[in-house]
């Protein structure tokens, strides 16, 4: 087995830009970010502590990650932990899924955006295996 590497790939130089804080939850830990990209649209989801529980947040960029908007809470299950959010995007359609405790069991929830992550709908329980 052998590999051929293009000289075009090795001739390109990648330059990293300055890092940016994309969440505004001072004093609370964020973790496990996931990204989805469609053209210049980028959507991020992650787990964020509110001081008592882990919640699911999102933020979006319309210019490939150069600038970011204000982060948003995309689930409404206060008092229950959410984690392991995943995200997918196709054009302007964005879907996020995650685990969410209902106090007794871990359930699967989802939310979606039809405008690239600008606005989100109401989160939904998408499985019925209590």
């Amino acid at each position: 087995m052998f590999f051929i590497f293009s000289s075009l790939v090795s001739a390109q130089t990648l330059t990293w830009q300055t890092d940016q804080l994309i969440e505004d939850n001072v004093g609370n830990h964020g973790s496990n970010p996931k990204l989805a990209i469609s053209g210049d649209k980028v959507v991020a989801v992650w787990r964020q502590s509110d001081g008592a529980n882990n919640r699911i947040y999102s933020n979006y960029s319309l210019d490939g990650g150069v600038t970011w908007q204000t982060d948003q809470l995309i689930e409404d299950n206060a008092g229950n932990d959410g984690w392991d959010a995943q995200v997918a995007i196709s054009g302007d359609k964005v879907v996020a899924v995650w685990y969410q405790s209902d106090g007794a069991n871990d359930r699967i929830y989802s939310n979606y955006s039809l405008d690239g992550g600008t606005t989100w709908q109401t989160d939904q329980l998408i499985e019925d295996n209590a």
Side-chain angles (χ1 to χ4, degrees), residues 77-120:
N77 296 294
N80 294 311
D81 285 318
W83 65 93
D84 200 23
Q86 306 291 318
V87 64
I89 186 171
S90 178
D92 285 335
K93 297 173 185 163
V94 183
V95 176
V97 295
W98 62 91
Y99 294 100
Q100 185 90 43
S101 172
D102 66 6
N105 297 297
D106 297 333
R107 310 298 297 274
I108 307 297
Y109 280 80
S110 177
N111 200 341
Y112 68 97
S113 170
L114 297 175
D115 55 13
T118 304
T119 57
W120 290 82

Side-chain angles (χ1 to χ4, degrees), residues 1-13:
M1 178 181 288
F2 63 93
F3 297 97
I4 299 174
F5 293 98
S6 167
S7 62
L8 293 175
V9 172
S10 62
Q12 294 177 354
T13 302

